[in-house]
Each structure stands twice: as structure tokens, then as C-alpha cells.
Amino acid sequence: MKKILFILCFIIGFQTAFAKNEGWINIVNAGGNNKGILCTEAIQKAIDKAAANGGGTIFFPAGNYLTGPLKLRSNICIYVDAGAVLKFSDNFDHYLPYVEMRYEGIMMKTFSPLFYAKDAENISIKGRGIIDGQGKAWWNEVYRIETAKGPIPETKYQKMWTEQNKGIEYEAYYKRTIDKHFFRPSFFQVLNCKNILIEGVTFQNSPFWTINPEFCDNITITGITIFNPHSPNTDGINPSSCKNVHISNCHISVGDDCITIKSGRDADGRKYGIATENVTITNCTMLSGHGGVVIGSEMSGGIKKITISNCVFDGTDRGIRLKSARGRGGVVEDIRVDNIVMNNIKENAIIMDLFYDKSSKEEPVSERTPVFRNIHISNLTGTKVKKAGTINGITEMPIQNISFSNINIQSEDGFTLNTADNVEFHDAKITTSMGAAFKIESSSNLILDNVATMKPLKNVPLIKLTDVSNTMITNNFPMFATDVFLEADGAKTKGIYLKNNVLNNVSTAVKAGANLDKKAIVE
């Protein structure tokens, strides 16, 4: 009797485990096909049906699928299984009518994103399959417009954009972009949504930015691959005006920035005034890209409380990059970067730049003034780097309260600071093939504690100061024969304190410039 009961229980359990799950809709059984024939209508109907029933999973088994843009709804999961390739049409007509979206930080009406949602919750895209944006047609259209010699006839899409975006506000520097009247769709853009999960899948060939939530809350992006090489503006992951964002275990190689944190552009961004905050980025690898992790340049709503850790950048143009300019406004603050390895960085390993618009002129401090402050970077190793780092503040708003701890970078050029206040270097080794390891100008309130180079250069100082004030240089011990430890110049240089330094291996401890006050250096 016990044996019979056991067999019955086993059969019931087996049947239950493999019973039809009413929450899953196999798209092949719902009017779609896996032969690469366009089936947008069937997929959208399946999404709408599941949403009407309270939610569900749209399942794409192995095979090839072709679709136009899809509108996601609350409580919907798109599951692309291993062996499945979901391709998006490259027919621009399929992305009409225009919808409200945010393009490079400005709200406008243009082509529908490939995945689009507004005012929804509990959205997910999962699986081990591939989602292909077939972006080449979009890229080629941009190239055609941008490389035209002289005026060319406007397409119907450009005329539609002009008609539907009358009165749009923008700064003069952005006119060149606006004048194109052609704005590609993001791969995934959802507006004012919450509880978003993207996991496991591969996104490739995005027409424009890839993962781009806007005004969203509670976003998790984990274990995905993004592959958009040799393509224009195909950023990887761009949360904008979002809060509570978790990015982990991702592998990214793209035609622009790998991960970028944003919050709107200029007056339009300040109008909404929604910061991106509470963001964690960890355990990611970045290969091709203009920047590994970037903040800005659209940061007019503010960006705060960001942590970046345990990441590898191998071959990106830059590593950690913060960029903005006069006119943007917004505050970037409370940033922590830790445990980072960089290799083959083509420009700066670290850059914080308020001169992204190089033509900008000094102006009174106002809502248009960008602010970078409270940024701390530690435990960073860089090899084969073009330039160790750059900090460029603006006269009316120096970059403030920055620290670097346990930094080891091998680079062609060293670290340059200009117009910064309250900056500290602790246990920082910058080994260069040209120029001073630390070159600091027009800055104040600095600490250089145990800084070094592993290969001193002939007649080149370890530290070079120009118009610098209130600076402590302490606990330094050049281990290798060094011609010049410190070179200082500038009429504004004063209050440079040298304490607890062992300079036995140094030929010239202080090299004074012609404009240096004799009392500027205190030993």
C-alpha cells in the first residue's frame, strides 16, 4: 500500500511539475513564428493579453524572430531562451507614430524605442538568448546626414520631427544636433516605471543608447552582455533621473560610453529637477568604449550617492570620467570608486572636467553652474595608460573635496590638477615616461602623502606646483635616485609645507621658479 501511494505521489508530482504554466505564453503558439518572419502584432497581442490577465511571461524558445517596437506593460516578462535570437526591424516606418521619449537629456517626440513603456511596474527581460537591434540602418542614416556636403532634402521623418517638436528649448551649442532633426530610438527606454529587472540576455547592434531607463525607481541589471562595436553613440547602460539602480556582473563593449549616469540636459533637465541617486555598479568588465564608467555630461538634475567597485576596464578610451560644462547646472556629489583595474587606456584613467564645452566663458554662480564635490577614489591599478588623470575645474566653481588613496598607475603622462580645492593623494604611485607625476596649478588646500614614481625622469620633478596655496607634502621617501623632488613657481604660490620627508636619494629637494616668493616653501 505504501509503495502504491509513493508511486501515485510521484506521478502527481511529475505531472504538476510539467503541467502547462498558464502564466507563460509561448510566442510560437500565439501567432508568432521562429522563422524570422515579421510578427510584431502577435508579440504585442501576447503582451497585451498577459497584462489584461494580471501579467505573465512571453516566452521565445530557440529560433529566429523578427519584430518592430514593443510596448511593455506592467507585470510582463520577456523571456528569450538560449538559442533564440530576437531581431528588431530596420524599417523606420515600423517605429511610427512618434512617442514621447528622452533623447540625450531632452524630452521630445521621436521614433519609438525598441522596448518602450510608460507609467508601468514589474517589467523584466530575461534569458540567455540574443536581442539584436539591427542598428546599422540607423547608423548609416546618421552618417548620411552628418557627412553631406551642403544642404540635402529633408526626409519625411525629419519633417515629422519638426512638426511635432515646436518650441523645444536647447542651448546654442546643441543646435548642430537639433538641426539634424533625426533622433534614433534607444534599444530599451522606459519612462516613469518601477521595479525593472534585466538579466542574462545579450543586447547587440543598438540603434542608439542601449539600456536607458528614465525617471524610474528600483532597477536591477545583472549578468547581461552588450555588444555594439564600431557604432555611433551606442552607449551601454544609461540610467537617467533614476533612483535605486543596481548594475552588476555585466560585460560591455560599445561605440560610446559603457556605463553612463545622467539626469537631463540644461534647462530641460533642470525643469524636471530629478537627480539620479543610490546607484551601485560592481563586478563589470568594459572593453571598447569612450569611457568605462561616466557621469554626465547631461547631469543638470544632479547625480549623487554612487558607488563603483570591482570593475575591469580593458581598452576603453578613458576609465572613470566625470564631464560637464557651464550652462548645465546640477550637483555631482558623494561618489565612491574602489577596487578598479585598468589596462590599455587610450586617454585619461581618471578625468573630472568642467570644460566639456570648451568655448564656455566665466559667468556668475547660478543654477547654470555645475558642481563636482565629495568624490573619493581608492585601490586603483592602471597599466598602459596614456594619461594618469586630469581635474579641470572652472574659476567660479573649483572641483572640491576629492581624494585618491592607494593608486598605482603606469602612464605616459602624469596627473594634472587645475582649479581644484581640498584634494588629497595618499599612497599614490604615478610612473610616467614624460613630465612630472603630479602637476598642479591654480589650486589650494592640498595634501600629497606618500606619493612616488617608480622610474624618476632626468631633470623632471616628481611634483610640480604653479600658483598653489596651503599644501602639505608629507611622508615621502623617493626610493630611487631622483634629480628633482619638488618644483614650485608662480606669484600666488604660498604656504607649501614639507614635513616628515626623507629625501636622501634626491639631488635637488626644491627647485624654485623665478616668480616664487622665497617664503612660499616651509620646511
Side-chain angles (χ1 to χ4, degrees):
M1 185 67 179
K2 289 182 180 178
K3 187 178 289 186
I4 294 171
L5 286 172
F6 174 80
I7 293 171
L8 286 171
C9 288
F10 176 81
I11 292 170
I12 293 168
F14 184 87
Q15 289 176 334
T16 301
F18 290 92
K20 183 179 179 182
N21 187 338
E22 295 296 337
W24 286 58
I25 299 176
N26 185 326
I27 198 63
V28 175
N29 299 328
N33 70 87
N34 61 357
K35 306 300 182 184
I37 301 169
L38 189 71
C39 55
T40 312
E41 186 176 353
I43 299 172
Q44 190 62 59
K45 281 184 177 179
I47 292 171
D48 295 344
K49 178 181 177 182
N53 291 330
T57 297
I58 313 304
F59 178 63
F60 293 80
N64 293 304
Y65 303 86
L66 180 64
T67 183
L70 299 172
K71 186 173 183 180
L72 303 178
R73 303 190 184 280
S74 293
N75 306 311
I76 291 296
C77 174
I78 301 294
Y79 195 102
V80 184
D81 205 5
V85 180
L86 175 60
K87 291 184 177 181
F88 280 82
S89 167
D90 59 5
N91 183 336
F92 300 167
D93 284 347
H94 292 164
Y95 297 83
L96 302 177
Y98 282 177
V99 299
E100 183 183 35
M101 59 94 71
R102 203 183 210 184
Y103 185 95
E104 290 187 344
I106 295 180
M107 295 300 298
M108 63 175 66
K109 289 187 176 180
T110 188
F111 295 105
S112 173
L114 281 56
F115 289 109
Y116 179 68
K118 190 175 180 183
D119 303 322
E121 62 182 359
N122 304 329
I123 293 170
S124 60
I125 298 177
K126 301 172 67 176
R128 298 299 298 171
I130 296 171
I131 307 177
D132 190 334
Q134 297 203 107
K136 190 173 182 179
W138 299 96
W139 311 336
N140 287 344
E141 180 65 2
V142 169
Y143 293 142
R144 183 188 73 84
I145 294 168
E146 289 189 342
T147 60
K149 296 179 180 179
I152 55 176
E154 280 198 328
T155 64
K156 67 178 181 180
Y157 309 112
Q158 291 172 302
K159 292 176 181 177
M160 287 171 59
W161 188 92
T162 303
E163 291 168 359
Q164 296 187 37
N165 290 281
K166 292 177 181 178
I168 194 168
E169 292 185 34
Y170 56 91
E171 295 281 344
Y173 76 91
Y174 200 62
K175 186 176 186 299
R176 179 177 174 273
T177 301
I178 291 289
D179 281 350
K180 288 185 296 189
H181 297 171
F182 184 79
F183 296 87
R184 292 166 283 158
S186 298
F187 208 137
F188 174 95
Q189 185 180 105
V190 294
L191 301 174
N192 195 35
C193 295
K194 61 182 180 180
N195 304 336
I196 297 163
L197 172 64
I198 303 176
E199 181 179 19
V201 294
T202 293
F203 291 87
Q204 65 186 30
N205 301 319
S206 179
F208 183 58
W209 294 355
T210 308
I211 308 299
N212 178 213
E214 299 275 357
F215 309 109
C216 294
D217 182 16
N218 191 20
I219 303 157
T220 298
I221 302 166
T222 186
I224 71 170
T225 296
I226 300 177
F227 190 65
N228 304 320
H230 316 299
S231 50
N233 310 112
T234 53
D235 295 36
I237 302 173
N238 291 18
S240 179
S241 296
C242 294
K243 61 182 179 180
N244 305 319
V245 180
H246 323 93
I247 301 169
S248 63
N249 307 312
C250 295
H251 182 71
I252 304 172
S253 185
V254 293
D256 207 320
D257 296 326
C258 294
I259 297 175
T260 308
I261 303 169
K262 300 176 179 288
S263 63
R265 180 185 293 270
D266 305 329
D268 193 71
R270 294 193 296 272
K271 178 178 71 175
Y272 291 92
I274 299 176
T276 294
E277 58 184 314
N278 301 350
V279 178
T280 62
I281 300 169
T282 191
N283 299 348
C284 294
T285 54
M286 289 78 154
L287 303 182
S288 172
H290 291 179
V293 177
V294 178
I295 294 176
S297 60
E298 301 88 357
M299 39 73 70
S300 301
I303 294 169
K304 54 187 177 180
K305 291 175 286 183
I306 312 295
T307 70
I308 303 161
S309 64
N310 304 336
C311 292
V312 174
F313 308 149
D314 192 351
T316 57
D317 291 353
R318 304 164 191 86
I320 300 295
R321 185 183 190 191
L322 284 71
K323 54 182 179 177
S324 190
R326 293 181 175 106
R328 301 288 170 95
V331 178
V332 172
E333 62 183 351
D334 304 336
I335 314 296
R336 286 275 178 180
V337 180
D338 183 64
N339 203 28
I340 305 294
V341 174
M342 300 185 191
N343 179 60
N344 191 26
I345 304 300
K346 299 175 179 62
E347 296 187 32
N348 285 269
I350 303 164
I351 180 167
M352 305 177 196
D353 187 14
L354 291 178
F355 277 95
Y356 192 57
D357 177 8
K358 294 179 174 57
S359 64
S360 65
K361 297 180 181 179
E362 185 175 347
E363 58 183 61
V365 174
S366 70
E367 65 174 5
R368 292 169 46 85
T369 306
V371 178
F372 287 173
R373 66 190 181 202
N374 301 344
I375 301 163
H376 307 284
I377 298 175
S378 58
N379 302 314
L380 185 150
T381 297
T383 54
K384 297 181 182 178
V385 172
K386 178 75 172 178
K387 184 168 177 58
T390 300
I391 293 180
N392 265 335
I394 52 178
T395 307
E396 65 270 29
M397 188 59 66
I399 293 175
Q400 309 162 39
N401 192 16
I402 313 298
S403 72
F404 302 92
S405 303
N406 194 21
I407 307 297
N408 195 317
I409 298 176
Q410 300 173 28
S411 56
E412 291 183 25
D413 201 0
F415 217 111
T416 301
L417 275 71
N418 197 316
T419 317
D421 179 62
N422 191 8
V423 179
E424 300 182 14
F425 286 92
H426 299 275
D427 303 323
K429 290 182 174 65
I430 309 295
T431 302
T432 68
S433 57
M434 65 177 188
F438 301 90
K439 183 179 179 182
I440 305 174
E441 301 179 11
S442 303
S443 298
S444 59
N445 304 319
L446 313 172
I447 295 176
L448 288 89
D449 168 27
N450 188 24
V451 299
T453 181
M454 301 306 291
K455 294 181 179 179
L457 301 176
K458 187 175 181 180
N459 298 322
V460 174
L462 171 65
I463 303 166
K464 186 174 182 179
L465 306 180
T466 305
D467 292 330
V468 170
S469 64
N470 200 33
T471 295
M472 172 68 79
I473 301 174
T474 187
N475 298 325
N476 295 288
F477 171 45
M479 290 182 287
F480 308 101
T482 302
D483 286 349
V484 182
F485 175 68
L486 169 65
E487 180 179 328
D489 201 359
K492 296 179 181 179
T493 295
K494 61 181 180 179
I496 310 301
Y497 298 90
L498 276 67
K499 185 177 181 180
N500 296 335
N501 300 295
V502 179
L503 305 179
N504 293 14
N505 296 323
V506 174
S507 299
T508 302
V510 178
K511 181 179 178 181
N515 297 311
L516 185 71
D517 188 300
K518 292 181 180 180
K519 298 180 181 180
I521 309 295
V522 181
E523 296 188 62

